[in-house]
Amino acid sequence: MEQKPAIDLVLLAVSSLYNNPNTTEKERASQWLGDLQKSVHAWTVADELLHHKRDLESCYFAAQTMRSKIQQSFHELPPEAHSSLRDSLLEHIAQINEQTNTIIVTQLCVALADLALQMPTWPRASLDLITKFSSTNMWPLLEILTVLPEELENRSVRLGENRRLDVLNDFKSCSTTILEFLKHCANTYTDNSQENVQVNIKILRCFTSWVSVGAFELSELGNNIVINRAFGILTYKPEGEKQTVGGALHSAATDCICTLLQCLEDNNNQQILETYLFNNVINLEVAYHMSVANEDQDKSINYCRVFTELAESFLEKIIMNSNNKSQHYAMKVLDLVLICVGHHDYEVAEITFNLWYVLSEDLYQKNNKEITEMFRPYVERLITALCRHCQMEPDHEGLLEDGDDFKDFRLKVSDLIKDVVFIVGSSSCFRQMFINLQTPGVTWESSEASLFVMQAVAKNIVPTENEVVPKVVEAILSLPETTHISVKYTSVLLLGELCEWIEKHANTLDPILNFLVCCLPQQGIGAAAAIALQNICATCNDHMPRHVPIMLQLLHQVDTFAITNNAVIGLLKGVASIIGCMNPPELTTALRELCSMQMNPICQLIEQDVVPVKGTKTDPVLWLDRLSSVLRHICCKNNQSDGPHPCKEVVLEIWPILSRTFDKYDSDLRIMERCCRSVRFMLRCVSQQVREILESLVGQIVRIYSHFKHSCFLYVGSILVDEYAADASCVQGLLDMLHAFIEPTFLVLQEENGLRMHPDTVDDFFRLCARFLQRAPVAFLQCPSLVHILQCALLASSLDHKEANMSVMKFFYDLINQAQTDRSKADYKQRKDLVHRVLEEYGQNLVNNLLHACVFYLHSYMLSEVADVFVQLLDFNRETTGKWLANGLDQLPVQSNGGIVTATPQQLKDIHASITRSDTSKSVTHALKELTRLYR
Ligand SMILES: *[C@@H]1O[C@H](CO)[C@@H](O)[C@H](O)[C@H]1NC(C)=O
Ligand SMILES: *[C@@H]1O[C@H](CO)[C@@H](O)[C@H](O)[C@H]1NC(C)=O
Ligand SMILES: *[C@@H]1O[C@H](CO)[C@@H](O)[C@H](O)[C@H]1NC(C)=O
Ligand SMILES: *[C@@H]1O[C@H](CO)[C@@H](O)[C@H](O)[C@H]1NC(C)=O
Ligand SMILES: *[C@@H]1O[C@H](CO)[C@@H](O)[C@H](O)[C@H]1NC(C)=O
């Protein structure tokens, strides 16, 4: 947008965006307004719109534009414009009254807060604001004071660590006044009018916000009226003075107490505040029971949050300061938490889960029997309560549906029990559940829940257990026909989880397999039977080969059973792993049968020219995925090193069909990706033994890639390089393949935004190059395309995409590594010279790009990949790398144009020193994190 648009035009566009029924027009307006927001004219346009106050929509658009410009494009403004922008915003805010729309108020307040954070020339802004607004504009004032600390923490404004610390100190220097101000507010708004309730919510939120960033000294908070008010709101009021507290106020008070408790956890030795909070929270038990009696679920949830937070903040002290003689006084908060776990609604129980995770992690780390023992009774009660929560409704018919909230909750319970069960012992838990099963008159839903818990812990049962498990297995095998389907389903899963026990009790294998095979065709149970069979196949495969014929027969009929494709794939995995244990000739026969079950349908689809319908049997992907799962999981245990690989014969039969699939569906990306995946596992399965198909395979993938540019073909290329490039007779052919890939690849990547739009291509291409570096380094480093590849890699090093980024970093890593690795090999000197030449030309460039990417683009989880490259560079030549690094750091900006110092010379010097001193990726990562913090 070159010119500032006339204000009437903007108003028209806003009106069109909100009111035009024609979607084409609406989208056009949205696009145009988006462009306007990106342009530098947005600043004045927003300001003018706010002055005009034409209508709600235009004011909303203006406020939102102002907020996002200050948040993201503050650098567009010259510093001398900052104070006039502030004055203008203050003027708009001064005009806020009861009628102003809440969203507009929020946007303007966030805008002003973001401005203050980025404006070092406006120190102690919060005090200014109090002076200016406290007698006239309480609402926006409390709102700004609330969002100021929130925005400080929010990384969408890139303040940098130095500025953040300055602002926090600025906040601290204002904290006494802020506390006084909040006290004054709290004393002013005491009665229960609707209006005062709203103000009290704001007071609590504001207080919480300042506590949350650590701007208040906890020692200043003794006998604070705001905290007292929060407890006053939460405390049970006896009849007579009863008053209902609204949900929003109750939640604000809850947030306040929870935030204080979190701060307490991070700051020890606040004895007075600690005792005060503890006593007041413990006193909330009555109020919790009243909320349950009144069926006020939201409030019960709030109390549960407070109790859980209290327990978390005291947990370390409880664990550190307890022994057999005396428990820490705060241990009793766990009773309160367990009362909440007993709430009839599982959503309340779920709030406590994190506490139990933290507890089990701490106890596991401590590894102290006595202390763990102390917590056993609590965890026993927890598991009993969870088992009850897992019960289905007595009148529930059928199974729980996927995606059902209750089913998801049960999965979370299962995970939690797996984590905490060591505190009570798996066998003890298993036995307890077995006792539940034998209770006379036990209901189906209670049995099912006990079986469900048993299933969660079954993998931990020692395989030598001979007391309970045999009885459980026997009971399951003789479940009567009339058993509820959910009980059967869970029992079948339990059998699968007992696979390790079954492996040690081979006599049980036949009856169990027979049972599961009978379950397989049964509606609903089939999926569980398939999972159980897969577990047992994978664990017991030494005992299984004699069952292969029956399994193959089952697989022939598998599509007549009511089980999902995923379950079929699971079964195929299981059977493939058993076949791997057979002797070579039998293995070949069985594998041929297993593969032909998948290949025959594909041949028919191709011959009859059937139009694929996704997810049905007319979809080649269905069969390709099944083939992949077979090839991936067949692992030949009894191969003979002299004879041909037992899978080779079958692979040579499969390949022509996969080749026809490539040709038939070459324009369909989805089918090509899955076909490439099958080829990948096919090549891996017979590693390096099918040289005879290389020529036709390479010819075909190069041909299809140059036409359609599906990046999965680059992936197949990298597998070929990995398997065959170490073989001198294959190198030239593979280099030709790389060469043929380059032109179409660069065509894709050189489109506008090509790197960003095609991260898969970046990923697959550089994986291919990295494989070459590992397998045929000299040939690769001498190939004429290397220069272009390096230039492309340098461009790609600043892509924010996890996989793409990793591949590029890995490529650089492998490249430099060639100058260090395998020093005893004959080609070492040659490799070293070649790498040396590359770095001489590109080293500085590489370092600059890496630093730039770290500071401005990369997510912090990517930094360790970059650090790996730095470590290689340092190993290659510490001194030269130090120079490159110094130059690179020199080019980073040290000040924002608003005068905020991003990095001081000393900070950059320290970072330079810690990187050049480093020997490990970990310490370089640490230094890079420090660097990026200065800019975010
Ligand atoms: C919507 O607007 C477009 C462009 O102005 C016009 O071509 C189209 O006919 C309109 N559609 C309707 C349903 O009015
Ligand atoms: C940070 O700010 C952005 C934009 O204003 C907002 O969408 C996001 O919710 C905020 N995040 C936090 C944690 O406050
Ligand atoms: C805890 O009690 C056990 C016996 O129950 C005893 O062996 C152990 O020494 C006691 N430990 C402490 C710290 O008192
Ligand atoms: C084949 O056998 C050799 C030695 O006999 C062994 O090193 C290799 O790992 C085996 N391969 C497979 C795929 O099991
Ligand atoms: C990695 O991510 C960064 C940050 O977005 C990006 O700038 C860089 O180009 C990526 N690198 C690669 C090789 O994709």
Side-chain angles (χ1 to χ4, degrees), residues 722 766-778 780-781 786 790 806-822 831-832 835 838-839 846 865 868-870 872-873 876:
D722 195 40
F766 285 103
R767 182 182 297 102
L768 169 63
C769 294
R771 290 293 194 200
F772 250 119
L773 276 167
Q774 294 157 9
R775 300 291 170 212
V778 173
F780 179 78
L781 289 168
L786 182 66
L790 285 168
M806 302 239 269
S807 291
V808 178
M809 294 308 152
K810 182 86 173 66
F811 167 75
F812 282 122
Y813 176 95
D814 284 329
L815 177 75
I816 306 161
N817 186 247
Q818 286 306 323
Q820 263 111 230
T821 190
D822 294 330
R831 275 188 277 133
K832 193 173 165 182
V835 172
V838 167
L839 287 180
L846 173 60
E865 318 287 332
D868 288 342
V869 179
F870 273 117
Q872 284 297 312
L873 282 169
F876 175 73

Side-chain angles (χ1 to χ4, degrees), residues 218 260-275 277-278 309-323 326-334 355 358-359 362-363 366 371 374-375:
L218 292 182
L260 279 165
L261 288 167
Q262 279 160 13
C263 284
L264 207 57
E265 192 180 348
D266 304 332
N267 295 275
N268 281 318
N269 307 323
Q270 295 296 330
Q271 202 57 51
I272 297 174
L273 184 64
E274 186 179 299
T275 313
L277 289 175
F278 182 84
E309 199 64 67
L310 182 68
E312 282 189 27
S313 77
F314 276 80
L315 194 56
E316 199 179 310
K317 294 193 189 91
I318 299 177
I319 293 178
M320 295 297 287
N321 300 326
S322 295
N323 53 47
S326 70
Q327 290 184 346
H328 189 269
Y329 70 94
M331 192 83 163
K332 69 177 168 207
V333 70
L334 289 182
L355 167 67
V358 177
L359 172 67
D362 284 358
L363 291 179
K366 263 239 137 39
I371 296 180
M374 234 169 48
F375 288 90

